Amino acid sequence: MKLLVLNYEFPPVGGGGGQASAALCKSLAERGHQVRVLTARLPGLAAREMRDGYEIVRVQSWRRSPYRASLPAMFGYLLGAFLPGLRQLRSWKPDLMHVHFAVPTGALALALGRLTGVRYVLTAHLGDVPGGVPEKTRRWFRLIYPFTFPIWRAAAHVVAVSGYTRTLATQHYRVPIDVIPNGIPEELLQPEPKAPADVYELVFVGRFQPQKDLLLLVDVLGAVKDLPWRATLVGDGPLRAEVESRIRQLGLQERIRLTGWVSPEEATEHLRRADLLFMPSRSEGLPVVGVQALALGLALLVCQAGGLAELVEDRVNGRICPVGDSACLEAGLRWCLADRERLLGLKAASLLRADGYRIDQVAQRYEHLFIGLVEGHGAPAGQFS
């Protein structure tokens, strides 16, 4: 089967949605399918690249930052990818398009599909759903919301990465939506958890933006100075200066390290060295970093934020708190770190939960869906729920 993957951001550009699609592309290529990705080009990246058995085609856009996608950059991708996408569909003749993010990528798939007749499967990641990340997208959807309905209705099939994402999407778009989670690459799965050292290693991975509530994270760490911990905040973004200022105010410069923007491989290494993933996000679809944390045997301290909470069973592999509840997060962190054997047990429980997110299982689900559509018998709604 030939599959053209459309995603406006793809590693090393973008966050978890791009990483999830890259892992899926690799797995589908390993299963014998021809996969080609059409994505945005950042200065310094090659226009074409072969990676892990599939091809990446990058087009010029107005994007200049690896971690921030502005509206002009998204619009630039749509303009830059339209003619190359049309050429790919007419000359390479893929059987299907797989589209990540209804906004902005879905608009490209809708236009290309209407011109060529090639159908597309849409995967929603939360930020492309109205209300999913309100502090980031509220203004966007005020402008574009009426124009998004055809994107969802025209899709041959719609998938959401988490139950929360599906629930939110069905409130706006009356289409059948199945759930297929983001997958864990086989090489990440660990046979057993790493035993905690004398000083516990805490980690956050993500964009420094309001959705992630990093200032709250730093405040909670400031409240547990008496515990033996070090923290690494991996990523970058518009709130970095405020985060650095708060760290200085609380006197945590020697205990909190900021790495800046790193490659997905470097981010994974930071996770590998950690004992606990601390993510007090206000909203999440199904963050790749959370799924990776399960595979690497980390305890998780998170907020009840969409799909993120689906990764945690409270007091089994971590703790879950209401969004923005600093007292609960402080108590939860103290509970996780108060007993070394308890922490090791939480880490072991995460490894057990990771088995349901293996990339080979996720790729098999998508493969079944794709083949069903190509061969004409489709996939009934709810099959992958």
Side-chain angles (χ1 to χ4, degrees):
M1 177 175 60
K2 288 184 177 180
L3 188 67
L4 180 63
V5 177
L6 305 180
N7 196 342
Y8 77 104
E9 51 184 33
F10 198 84
V13 177
Q19 293 178 42
S21 59
L24 180 60
C25 288
K26 178 182 178 182
S27 190
L28 288 171
E30 290 171 347
R31 299 173 81 87
H33 302 290
Q34 297 181 55
V35 180
R36 189 172 288 178
V37 180
L38 186 62
T39 188
R41 185 179 183 185
L42 202 65
L45 296 179
R48 300 182 83 97
E49 176 186 350
M50 287 298 301
R51 180 196 297 172
D52 296 325
Y54 63 90
E55 186 176 7
I56 304 171
V57 178
R58 299 187 178 95
V59 299
Q60 294 291 352
S61 73
W62 294 316
R63 183 155 184 161
R64 294 295 178 266
S65 167
Y67 55 81
R68 183 175 182 271
S70 64
L71 271 179
M74 292 182 183
F75 186 65
Y77 168 70
L78 298 181
L79 288 179
F82 178 73
L83 288 178
L86 197 59
R87 286 194 294 268
Q88 293 291 336
L89 293 175
R90 288 177 171 169
S91 61
W92 192 53
K93 300 185 183 304
D95 298 293
L96 205 65
M97 291 183 282
H98 186 197
V99 183
H100 292 269
F101 298 99
V103 177
T105 323
L108 175 64
L110 177 65
L112 294 176
R114 286 181 172 175
L115 286 171
T116 65
V118 179
R119 294 179 296 170
Y120 63 90
V121 171
L122 170 64
T123 294
H125 292 265
L126 187 67
D128 49 341
V129 178
V133 189
E135 58 274 9
K136 179 182 177 184
T137 62
R138 183 184 292 111
R139 287 185 297 175
W140 299 356
F141 277 110
R142 285 177 184 168
L143 298 173
I144 67 173
Y145 180 57
F147 306 101
T148 61
F149 289 93
I151 294 170
W152 295 76
R153 291 172 182 163
H157 208 83
V158 180
V159 172
V161 298
S162 68
Y164 174 75
T165 303
R166 176 175 63 179
T167 298
L168 191 61
T170 53
Q171 294 173 8
H172 296 274
Y173 308 105
R174 294 188 176 183
V175 296
I177 302 176
D178 292 322
V179 176
I180 305 180
N182 295 326
I184 299 170
E186 194 72 29
E187 60 270 19
L188 284 187
L189 290 165
Q190 301 299 301
E192 58 185 27
K194 176 179 69 71
D198 293 336
V199 178
Y200 303 122
E201 296 288 344
L202 315 181
V203 67
F204 163 89
V205 180
R207 308 186 200 207
F208 285 35
Q209 57 190 26
Q211 170 201 356
K212 304 295 185 178
D213 221 345
L214 275 164
L215 296 178
L216 174 63
L217 180 150
V218 175
D219 287 343
V220 171
L221 292 179
V224 295
K225 289 182 180 179
D226 54 300
L227 298 177
W229 57 265
R230 287 190 298 259
T232 303
L233 309 186
V234 181
D236 208 336
L239 292 185
R240 176 161 179 166
E242 291 183 55
V243 171
E244 291 176 330
S245 176
R246 187 67 60 87
I247 290 171
R248 289 193 297 270
Q249 290 172 13
L250 297 176
L252 298 175
Q253 300 96 313
E254 301 301 317
R255 303 182 71 177
I256 299 179
R257 176 192 173 203
L258 277 63
T259 67
W261 193 258
V262 301
S263 69
E265 294 76 18
E266 291 174 291
T268 298
E269 287 307 308
H270 286 292
L271 284 168
R272 198 185 302 276
R273 292 191 288 267
D275 298 301
L276 181 142
L277 175 68
F278 187 3
M279 288 193 70
S281 302
R282 301 174 188 173
S283 57
E284 290 285 356
L286 187 71
V288 168
V289 62
V291 178
Q292 290 179 342
L294 295 183
L296 294 169
L298 275 67
L300 283 79
L301 175 62
V302 305
C303 287
Q304 191 79 38
L308 180 59
E310 297 174 21
L311 301 175
V312 183
E313 185 176 354
D314 197 43
R315 297 179 184 270
V316 174
N317 72 316
R319 296 300 305 272
I320 307 175
C321 291
V323 171
D325 191 333
S326 59
C328 178
L329 289 167
E330 178 187 344
L333 187 54
R334 288 188 180 278
W335 184 86
C336 290
L337 303 185
D339 184 288
R340 190 176 304 277
E341 289 304 313
R342 175 192 292 161
L343 180 58
L344 185 59
L346 299 174
K347 289 159 64 75
S350 282
L351 284 179
L352 292 177
R353 292 182 68 85
D355 194 59
Y357 296 91
R358 296 165 63 102
I359 190 61
D360 57 338
Q361 298 177 17
V362 170
Q364 185 178 36
R365 289 175 162 185
Y366 271 110
E367 180 183 55
H368 188 183
L369 169 59
F370 295 156
I371 291 176
L373 291 170
V374 171
E375 294 183 351
H377 52 76
Q383 180 174 350
F384 302 108
S385 302

